[in-house]
Amino acid sequence: MAIEIRVHIEDEVVRRALADPELVAGPIRRFLNKSALSVEAGAKERAPVDTGRLRSSITHQVASAEARIGTRLIYAPFVEFGTKPHWPPLRAMQPWARRHGFPKGNAGAFLVARAIAQHGTKPQPYLRPALQASLPDVRRFLEDAAKEIEGRWSRHG
């Protein structure tokens, strides 16, 4: 599960950038890296912690004109968005039930699974709120990149 920050570059800037790739590439890359790090840090702060696996798996990637922030953990979307009532596998519930003081064996896992079957799980958003909280920083980083590009543009006339 990931969120993306994308940069759309106007045609005239693309034409100039083809002649001088560093005209926009460096500033855009710095903007995306700073923005992604800001969102990543916020997501790690907000991620619920049981074993710490979700929090430690949150990372980012920057490629050309986009940054992706998120995790590859299969259960991450279920944490972010919650679930409808369903019967989870007892085997998956056993470690959680044990860590949270439920009876050992299948009895504790069954109690947890039954509650999920009746109520689902509540959303615990961490990525979307991290992006929202980071927007002032992202805007500032974008303004910095624009100023840098404008300065380079005027020097290369």
Side-chain angles (χ1 to χ4, degrees), residues 3-14:
I3 55 175
E4 294 180 358
I5 299 172
R6 290 185 180 189
V7 176
H8 173 74
I9 303 171
E10 295 294 327
D11 290 343
E12 174 63 20
V13 176
V14 170

Side-chain angles (χ1 to χ4, degrees), residues 7 9 13 17 20-35 62-65 141-142 144-150 152 155-156:
V7 176
I9 303 171
V13 176
D20 181 6
E22 274 306 301
L23 180 68
V24 295
I28 294 296
R29 192 172 38 252
R30 281 186 286 284
F31 156 71
L32 289 170
N33 272 310
K34 289 178 183 178
S35 298
V62 173
S64 64
F141 300 148
L142 184 58
D144 292 347
K147 287 176 187 170
E148 185 177 351
I149 291 169
E150 285 174 14
R152 289 171 175 225
R155 287 193 299 274
H156 291 86

Side-chain angles (χ1 to χ4, degrees), residues 131-145:
L131 176 61
Q132 284 298 106
S134 295
L135 285 179
D137 288 339
V138 170
R139 285 186 186 101
R140 186 170 32 93
F141 300 148
L142 184 58
E143 289 169 4
D144 292 347

